[in-house]
Amino acid sequence: MERSQEIEKLAAAMAKAQAKVKHAVKDSTNPHFKSRYADLAAIYDAFRDALADNCISIIQAPFNAGQDGYIGLETMLLHESGQFLTHSLYMPVPKFDPPGVGSATTYARKYAAAAMVGAKSDTPPTPRVFSAPAAPAAPSAVFSPAPAASILL
């Protein structure tokens, strides 16, 4: 986590905001798992007013994680004083196509935002998103070095 040199104004504002953060409403249904969950909008609804009332904004930006099969997300809390906190989260992307990247980015935004502001999210993990990318296949042939005597001949 990175932060501005001073954070006393942001810390005081966050303490006030967190007292007003609501529980995220489980307003969506996952038919595959037959469960209800709080979507990204519900997570933001739980804290948006509390942050705004205390002059705090949140910015989230995806970035290239620099490792195959992962995306990065930077979440920043900014106070009107210019003080800030920022944290990066890395999320596995099981299938690197637009829907896969979009899904992983949305999950990262939900969990990072909730964690940064202290919102409660009861969203169950989805195995498709939270399983790590498959490991590269093992070589089909086993390498056996030649005996030292045959190398010298």
Side-chain angles (χ1 to χ4, degrees):
M1 180 176 281
E2 295 181 33
R3 63 183 183 88
S4 55
Q5 189 171 355
E6 303 293 329
I7 62 166
E8 73 282 350
K9 292 176 183 171
L10 175 59
M14 278 301 296
K16 290 176 185 173
Q18 286 179 329
K20 303 289 184 186
V21 171
K22 301 172 192 166
H23 187 78
V25 177
K26 293 180 182 181
D27 59 353
S28 298
T29 303
N30 182 327
H32 181 72
F33 291 105
K34 298 179 177 78
S35 62
R36 298 190 54 76
Y37 66 96
D39 66 9
L40 179 60
I43 299 292
Y44 265 71
D45 287 346
F47 65 77
R48 183 182 296 113
D49 290 342
L51 293 185
D53 290 348
N54 289 281
C55 303
I56 302 168
S57 62
I58 185 169
I59 297 172
Q60 293 187 295
F63 63 89
N64 182 340
Q67 180 177 348
D68 287 346
Y70 286 83
I71 57 109
L73 179 82
E74 182 172 6
T75 300
M76 179 180 282
L77 295 178
L78 298 162
H79 185 256
E80 69 177 350
S81 66
Q83 295 178 357
F84 68 90
L85 289 174
T86 184
H87 186 266
S88 296
L89 173 71
Y90 299 89
M91 181 70 69
V93 181
K95 187 172 182 190
F96 228 85
D97 62 2
V101 171
S103 178
T105 301
T106 299
Y107 272 91
R109 290 186 65 202
K110 285 170 43 173
Y111 291 111
M116 288 286 282
V117 302
K120 296 169 187 75
S121 169
D122 292 334
T123 306
T126 302
R128 179 174 124 43
V129 172
F130 288 101
S131 55
S140 57
V142 177
F143 175 74
S144 296
S150 67
I151 293 173
L152 297 174
L153 298 176

